[in-house]
Amino acid sequence: MSAAAPALGTVSALGLALSAPPARAGAQAEEPLADKVRSALSAAIAAEAPPRLQRFADVAAQQRYDQWLAVMSERLKRRKSEAQTRIEFLEALWYESARAGLEPALVLGLIQVESGFRKYAISPVGARGYMQVMPFWARLIGDGDPARLFHMQTNLRFGCVILRHYLDRERGDLGMALGRYNGSRGKPQYPNAVLACRQQWLA
Protein backbone atom coordinates (compact mmCIF):
# COMPACT_ATOMS: atom_id res chain seq x y z
CA MET A 1 0.00 0.00 0.00
CA SER A 2 1.10 3.52 -0.65
CA ALA A 3 0.35 4.93 2.82
CA ALA A 4 3.25 5.05 5.23
CA ALA A 5 3.52 2.87 8.30
CA PRO A 6 3.44 4.50 11.74
CA ALA A 7 6.70 6.01 12.97
CA LEU A 8 8.63 4.59 15.88
CA GLY A 9 7.35 7.59 17.83
CA THR A 10 4.18 5.65 18.50
CA VAL A 11 5.92 3.77 21.33
CA SER A 12 4.12 5.89 23.96
CA ALA A 13 0.79 5.11 22.34
CA LEU A 14 1.69 1.43 22.37
CA GLY A 15 2.42 1.74 26.06
CA LEU A 16 -1.05 3.11 26.64
CA ALA A 17 -2.51 0.24 24.63
CA LEU A 18 -0.69 -2.28 26.80
CA SER A 19 -2.20 -0.74 29.94
CA ALA A 20 -5.75 -0.77 28.50
CA PRO A 21 -8.14 -3.71 28.89
CA PRO A 22 -7.00 -6.60 26.71
CA ALA A 23 -8.41 -6.92 23.21
CA ARG A 24 -10.69 -9.87 22.58
CA ALA A 25 -8.98 -11.50 19.63
CA GLY A 26 -8.70 -15.24 19.93
CA ALA A 27 -5.85 -17.47 18.82
CA GLN A 28 -6.61 -17.32 15.11
CA ALA A 29 -4.85 -20.26 13.50
CA GLU A 30 -2.29 -19.88 10.75
CA GLU A 31 -3.44 -22.18 7.99
CA PRO A 32 -1.59 -23.18 4.83
CA LEU A 33 -2.70 -21.22 1.77
CA ALA A 34 -2.71 -22.56 -1.76
CA ASP A 35 -0.43 -20.55 -4.04
CA LYS A 36 -3.43 -19.25 -6.00
CA VAL A 37 -5.17 -18.09 -2.81
CA ARG A 38 -2.00 -16.50 -1.44
CA SER A 39 -1.47 -14.63 -4.71
CA ALA A 40 -5.06 -13.39 -4.76
CA LEU A 41 -4.92 -12.21 -1.15
CA SER A 42 -1.54 -10.54 -1.68
CA ALA A 43 -2.93 -8.69 -4.69
CA ALA A 44 -5.96 -7.58 -2.68
CA ILE A 45 -3.73 -6.24 0.09
CA ALA A 46 -1.30 -4.48 -2.26
CA ALA A 47 -3.86 -2.57 -4.34
CA GLU A 48 -3.82 1.20 -4.25
CA ALA A 49 -4.99 3.28 -1.30
CA PRO A 50 -8.50 4.77 -1.50
CA PRO A 51 -9.18 8.08 -3.21
CA ARG A 52 -9.51 11.02 -0.86
CA LEU A 53 -12.94 11.78 -2.31
CA GLN A 54 -15.29 8.88 -2.97
CA ARG A 55 -16.92 8.68 -6.40
CA PHE A 56 -20.55 7.67 -6.75
CA ALA A 57 -22.76 6.69 -9.65
CA ASP A 58 -25.37 9.33 -8.94
CA VAL A 59 -26.41 12.11 -6.59
CA ALA A 60 -28.65 9.80 -4.54
CA ALA A 61 -25.75 7.45 -3.79
CA GLN A 62 -23.59 10.41 -2.76
CA GLN A 63 -26.34 11.64 -0.45
CA ARG A 64 -26.74 8.21 1.16
CA TYR A 65 -23.01 8.08 1.81
CA ASP A 66 -22.93 11.61 3.24
CA GLN A 67 -25.83 10.76 5.54
CA TRP A 68 -24.15 7.53 6.65
CA LEU A 69 -20.93 9.42 7.38
CA ALA A 70 -22.74 12.04 9.47
CA VAL A 71 -24.74 9.47 11.46
CA MET A 72 -21.78 7.18 12.11
CA SER A 73 -19.56 10.11 13.10
CA GLU A 74 -22.08 11.13 15.74
CA ARG A 75 -22.33 7.56 17.09
CA LEU A 76 -18.54 7.19 17.19
CA LYS A 77 -17.95 10.52 18.94
CA ARG A 78 -17.60 9.14 22.46
CA ARG A 79 -14.95 6.66 21.27
CA LYS A 80 -13.09 9.08 18.98
CA SER A 81 -13.51 12.66 20.15
CA GLU A 82 -11.46 14.39 17.42
CA ALA A 83 -13.71 15.03 14.42
CA GLN A 84 -11.09 14.79 11.66
CA THR A 85 -9.70 11.51 13.02
CA ARG A 86 -13.23 10.14 13.22
CA ILE A 87 -14.10 11.12 9.65
CA GLU A 88 -10.82 9.73 8.24
CA PHE A 89 -11.43 6.44 10.05
CA LEU A 90 -15.00 6.15 8.77
CA GLU A 91 -14.05 7.10 5.22
CA ALA A 92 -11.36 4.39 5.19
CA LEU A 93 -13.67 1.84 6.82
CA TRP A 94 -16.47 2.48 4.32
CA TYR A 95 -14.07 2.17 1.40
CA GLU A 96 -12.40 -1.04 2.61
CA SER A 97 -15.74 -2.62 3.58
CA ALA A 98 -17.25 -1.87 0.16
CA ARG A 99 -14.09 -3.01 -1.61
CA ALA A 100 -14.26 -6.39 0.16
CA GLY A 101 -18.02 -6.74 -0.31
CA LEU A 102 -18.73 -6.39 3.41
CA GLU A 103 -21.38 -4.42 5.25
CA PRO A 104 -19.84 -1.42 7.09
CA ALA A 105 -22.04 -2.11 10.14
CA LEU A 106 -20.61 -5.63 10.37
CA VAL A 107 -17.03 -4.34 10.23
CA LEU A 108 -17.80 -1.70 12.86
CA GLY A 109 -19.35 -4.36 15.09
CA LEU A 110 -16.29 -6.57 14.68
CA ILE A 111 -13.96 -3.70 15.57
CA GLN A 112 -16.03 -2.84 18.62
CA VAL A 113 -15.71 -6.42 19.91
CA GLU A 114 -12.11 -6.99 18.84
CA SER A 115 -10.38 -3.78 19.92
CA GLY A 116 -12.95 -1.33 21.28
CA PHE A 117 -11.85 1.06 18.48
CA ARG A 118 -8.30 1.24 19.84
CA LYS A 119 -5.78 1.73 17.05
CA TYR A 120 -2.85 0.29 19.00
CA ALA A 121 -4.67 -2.56 20.73
CA ILE A 122 -2.63 -5.74 21.22
CA SER A 123 -4.32 -8.96 22.27
CA PRO A 124 -2.76 -11.56 24.60
CA VAL A 125 -1.98 -13.66 21.52
CA GLY A 126 -0.37 -10.76 19.64
CA ALA A 127 -3.17 -9.65 17.30
CA ARG A 128 -2.84 -5.97 16.39
CA GLY A 129 -4.82 -2.85 15.74
CA TYR A 130 -8.46 -2.06 15.12
CA MET A 131 -9.32 -5.39 13.49
CA GLN A 132 -6.85 -7.42 15.57
CA VAL A 133 -4.89 -8.84 12.67
CA MET A 134 -2.46 -11.59 13.58
CA PRO A 135 1.19 -10.81 12.68
CA PHE A 136 1.56 -13.95 10.57
CA TRP A 137 -0.69 -12.34 7.92
CA ALA A 138 2.00 -9.72 7.26
CA ARG A 139 4.37 -12.54 6.37
CA LEU A 140 1.85 -14.59 4.38
CA ILE A 141 0.32 -11.89 2.20
CA GLY A 142 1.97 -8.58 3.10
CA ASP A 143 5.46 -7.12 3.08
CA GLY A 144 6.55 -9.07 6.16
CA ASP A 145 6.51 -6.07 8.52
CA PRO A 146 3.94 -6.62 11.33
CA ALA A 147 4.48 -3.06 12.61
CA ARG A 148 2.47 -1.85 9.61
CA LEU A 149 -0.59 -3.51 11.08
CA PHE A 150 -0.90 -0.52 13.43
CA HIS A 151 -1.40 1.78 10.43
CA MET A 152 -5.13 2.49 10.13
CA GLN A 153 -5.56 1.92 6.40
CA THR A 154 -3.34 -1.15 6.38
CA ASN A 155 -5.13 -2.70 9.34
CA LEU A 156 -8.60 -2.13 7.89
CA ARG A 157 -7.53 -3.52 4.52
CA PHE A 158 -6.00 -6.66 6.01
CA GLY A 159 -8.97 -7.22 8.31
CA CYS A 160 -11.57 -6.80 5.57
CA VAL A 161 -9.66 -8.95 3.06
CA ILE A 162 -9.18 -11.70 5.67
CA LEU A 163 -12.84 -11.68 6.71
CA ARG A 164 -13.89 -11.83 3.04
CA HIS A 165 -11.52 -14.78 2.57
CA TYR A 166 -13.09 -16.61 5.50
CA LEU A 167 -16.61 -15.87 4.24
CA ASP A 168 -15.67 -17.37 0.90
CA ARG A 169 -14.12 -20.41 2.60
CA GLU A 170 -17.26 -20.91 4.68
CA ARG A 171 -19.50 -20.44 1.62
CA GLY A 172 -21.21 -17.39 3.04
CA ASP A 173 -21.83 -18.78 6.54
CA LEU A 174 -21.23 -15.61 8.56
CA GLY A 175 -21.20 -17.31 11.96
CA MET A 176 -18.51 -19.76 10.89
CA ALA A 177 -16.50 -17.06 9.13
CA LEU A 178 -16.55 -14.82 12.20
CA GLY A 179 -15.56 -17.76 14.38
CA ARG A 180 -12.66 -18.54 12.08
CA TYR A 181 -11.60 -14.87 12.14
CA ASN A 182 -11.52 -14.98 15.95
CA GLY A 183 -10.00 -18.44 16.27
CA SER A 184 -13.18 -19.84 17.83
CA ARG A 185 -14.85 -21.51 14.84
CA GLY A 186 -18.00 -23.42 15.78
CA LYS A 187 -18.56 -21.57 19.06
CA PRO A 188 -21.44 -19.08 19.13
CA GLN A 189 -20.19 -16.55 21.68
CA TYR A 190 -17.97 -14.46 19.41
CA PRO A 191 -20.26 -14.32 16.35
CA ASN A 192 -23.18 -13.46 18.64
CA ALA A 193 -21.19 -10.62 20.23
CA VAL A 194 -20.20 -9.17 16.84
CA LEU A 195 -23.73 -9.40 15.47
CA ALA A 196 -25.13 -7.76 18.60
CA CYS A 197 -22.69 -4.86 18.22
CA ARG A 198 -23.49 -4.66 14.51
CA GLN A 199 -27.01 -3.56 15.43
CA GLN A 200 -25.61 -0.36 16.93
CA TRP A 201 -24.02 0.61 13.59
CA LEU A 202 -26.90 0.05 11.20
CA ALA A 203 -27.73 3.31 9.42
Side-chain angles (χ1 to χ4, degrees):
M1 292 177 59
S2 60
L8 293 177
T10 59
V11 169
S12 59
L14 290 174
L16 289 174
L18 290 171
S19 65
R24 293 198 38 194
Q28 185 187 86
E30 180 177 348
E31 302 172 10
L33 296 175
D35 289 343
K36 183 177 180 180
V37 173
R38 186 195 300 266
S39 295
L41 291 174
S42 295
I45 291 297
E48 64 185 25
R52 180 61 187 86
L53 298 175
Q54 311 292 347
R55 291 192 175 93
F56 296 90
D58 54 45
V59 173
Q62 177 70 61
Q63 290 174 339
R64 286 193 297 272
Y65 171 73
D66 291 342
Q67 181 179 16
W68 175 86
L69 196 60
V71 170
M72 293 305 112
S73 179
E74 187 62 29
R75 291 182 191 174
L76 194 59
K77 187 181 290 186
R78 71 183 182 87
R79 294 180 172 90
K80 290 187 173 296
S81 59
E82 208 279 313
Q84 186 60 36
T85 299
R86 206 163 58 240
I87 293 298
E88 288 175 359
F89 171 79
L90 287 167
E91 286 175 337
L93 182 138
W94 185 91
Y95 178 85
E96 295 300 339
S97 299
R99 184 175 175 273
L102 300 172
E103 178 191 52
L106 174 65
V107 177
L108 284 162
L110 185 148
I111 291 172
Q112 182 173 339
V113 172
E114 287 282 349
S115 68
F117 294 92
R118 289 179 290 129
K119 180 177 182 179
Y120 297 107
I122 305 173
S123 81
V125 295
R128 300 179 177 208
Y130 287 120
M131 295 190 74
Q132 289 293 276
V133 178
M134 291 291 285
F136 66 74
W137 284 108
R139 170 173 46 79
L140 287 177
I141 61 174
D143 62 6
D145 181 5
R148 287 179 56 80
L149 296 175
F150 289 117
H151 177 254
M152 177 189 69
Q153 187 73 43
T154 303
N155 189 274
L156 294 174
R157 178 158 295 182
F158 267 80
C160 288
V161 166
I162 292 163
L163 181 55
R164 177 78 260 167
H165 167 63
Y166 286 151
L167 267 169
D168 293 343
R169 282 201 62 181
E170 297 291 351
R171 302 187 181 193
D173 188 320
L174 182 56
M176 287 296 191
L178 287 171
R180 191 183 285 275
Y181 188 95
N182 178 252
S184 59
R185 184 179 184 274
K187 299 178 182 178
Q189 293 86 347
Y190 176 80
N192 288 346
V194 171
L195 294 175
C197 289
R198 167 187 171 271
Q199 296 296 317
Q200 302 174 33
W201 302 103
L202 291 171

